[in-house]
Amino acid sequence: MHYTITLNGDEHHITISPVIETIHGSDKYVTGVFKLSEGHVDMGEIVFDDNMNQWEYTGEGDITHREAGEIADFIRRYKEPAADNGFI
């Protein structure tokens, strides 16, 4: 998923990638960890608790705690586009 945020007056296009683990050879589950990047630049991770209520931002750089909170709220509200709408 992608998120656009304004940092220090500049627009940044953040890619948010969920960390997915494989257990028992084939079962997959979402870990509650989401990697943030812009292009090839790693911007850290947002790590949620089991209920997606509390979060922590592990990155260093241009994102403030408030801005990381905006991204965390976006992740919580995000709904995968439906396959029948032409999205994969």
Side-chain angles (χ1 to χ4, degrees):
M1 65 187 109
H2 300 279
Y3 184 76
T4 301
I5 191 168
T6 301
L7 304 171
N8 301 321
D10 295 323
E11 195 172 83
H12 294 264
H13 304 284
I14 309 296
T15 299
I16 304 168
S17 305
V19 175
I20 299 173
E21 296 284 330
T22 302
I23 55 173
H24 301 194
S26 63
D27 295 332
K28 295 183 182 204
Y29 72 98
V30 178
T31 62
V33 177
F34 295 83
K35 293 183 178 215
L36 308 180
S37 61
E38 183 177 25
H40 296 290
V41 178
D42 178 17
M43 299 180 81
E45 300 174 338
I46 292 183
V47 181
F48 286 95
D49 66 4
D50 291 340
N51 298 318
M52 297 285 288
N53 292 324
Q54 301 292 321
W55 59 271
E56 176 183 349
Y57 175 59
T58 65
E60 297 179 20
D62 294 335
I63 297 178
T64 66
H65 184 77
R66 182 188 61 77
E67 293 160 343
E70 289 178 29
I71 296 171
D73 288 342
F74 171 78
I75 293 168
R76 277 192 215 115
R77 291 188 314 265
Y78 184 81
K79 301 288 185 234
E80 192 71 35
D84 61 339
N85 290 336
F87 296 100
I88 297 177

